Amino acid sequence: MSASDAAGPVKTAFVLAGGGSFGAIQVGMLQSLAAHGIAADMVVGSSVGALNGAFYAGDPSVKGMARLADVWRGLRRHDVFPITWRALLGFLWRRDFLISHAGVRKLIDDHIPYSRLEAAPLPVHVVTTDIITGDSVVFSDGPTSEAIVASTAIPGAFSPIHYKDYYLADGAISSNTPVRVAVAKGARRLIVLPTGHACANNAPPVGAVANALHALTLLIARQLVNELENLDPGIEYYVVPPLCPLVGSPYDFSRTADHIERAIRSTDAWLAQNGLEKREIPHELRPHDH
């Protein structure tokens, strides 16, 4: 874990937000950006954005992003949120945590090609939260799996990760779309990849975890708008528009392939309309309904 900024000037950062299964939308965005030759000098990610960002930092090529899409298309809910009867009974009777970290850890071990963050081909910064103080704790080196598992540890569902003197949890609590972290690490041009939120549902998602994740995506969108509105005018930023209308739940992986394909088409269209020349906040991130 590094307390200092990345060495040397960094021009462009990809900044990846959290959002559960809606992380598939980022995969489509990354595929489109790679296909158009748009690359980052570093990556900053929180929650599922840390997982996608770490994969990108390992292989930012067109082929690498195609492999990431293949990984996502093969995911099922139990791969990420392995809830067993034993875990459920433990949650009910021992007030234990509901979900094991084993699913996320296996994804990291199987698909991230470097075991330590400092070994990534591109600088990668993973945002977590000190669950005691609420402060952001940024990993720029150290064990890859510990950093990403901590960044994805949704409070109440996953246990915090005890690392050194910290108890670490989901980066969403302190900085889900870590714009300020990217600037602090030296970025002067930000390309932000939000996951969006389900803006076209007729009712809340079914289930406790699904509702918690849905609420988290609403928080993410509001937080991102606030961070960008208060950003130093000298910082360039461009926000890839999230999908809208969007239905479903960030706990549901059955729509992954559709999310990826829609995000590719949407990002292609945004780039064709000179999106990388427009410093603006997409209306899809602001409160709206259908």
Side-chain angles (χ1 to χ4, degrees), residues 67-88:
R67 283 195 295 272
L68 178 58
D70 287 341
V71 171
W72 270 89
R73 290 189 186 98
L75 286 181
R76 300 296 178 264
R77 180 187 296 168
H78 67 266
D79 295 324
V80 182
F81 301 107
I83 300 178
T84 64
W85 280 109
R86 181 178 178 181
L88 185 59

Side-chain angles (χ1 to χ4, degrees), residues 227-260:
E227 287 193 11
L228 292 175
E229 286 180 339
N230 290 284
L231 199 58
D232 187 310
I235 302 297
E236 294 181 56
Y237 71 80
Y238 307 97
V239 185
V240 184
L243 299 183
C244 180
L246 181 63
V247 297
S249 159
Y251 188 54
D252 175 16
F253 286 78
S254 67
R255 303 172 187 266
T256 293
D258 180 61
H259 289 338
I260 292 172

Side-chain angles (χ1 to χ4, degrees), residues 130-276:
D130 181 341
I131 200 67
I132 305 299
T133 66
D135 293 333
S136 291
V137 178
V138 182
F139 285 78
S140 303
D141 52 45
T144 302
S145 60
E146 290 302 295
I148 298 175
V149 167
S151 189
T152 58
I154 303 162
F158 295 94
S159 63
I161 294 294
H162 188 196
Y163 182 75
K164 295 186 176 180
D165 295 329
Y166 298 103
Y167 287 90
L168 301 168
D170 198 313
I173 303 167
S174 58
S175 185
N176 196 281
T177 308
V179 167
R180 293 174 186 169
V181 172
V183 173
K185 292 296 179 182
R188 292 297 174 265
R189 180 173 181 260
L190 313 179
I191 299 178
V192 183
L193 284 68
T195 58
H197 61 280
C199 56
N201 285 347
N202 294 320
V206 176
V209 177
N211 268 278
L213 280 167
H214 174 67
L216 199 58
T217 59
L218 296 175
L219 170 65
I220 293 164
R222 305 302 187 269
Q223 182 173 294
L224 173 56
V225 169
N226 180 68
E227 287 193 11
L228 292 175
E229 286 180 339
N230 290 284
L231 199 58
D232 187 310
I235 302 297
E236 294 181 56
Y237 71 80
Y238 307 97
V239 185
V240 184
L243 299 183
C244 180
L246 181 63
V247 297
S249 159
Y251 188 54
D252 175 16
F253 286 78
S254 67
R255 303 172 187 266
T256 293
D258 180 61
H259 289 338
I260 292 172
E261 296 307 316
R262 283 185 63 197
I264 291 172
R265 295 193 301 269
S266 174
T267 307
D268 285 347
W270 177 71
L271 291 170
Q273 295 163 8
N274 300 314
L276 281 177

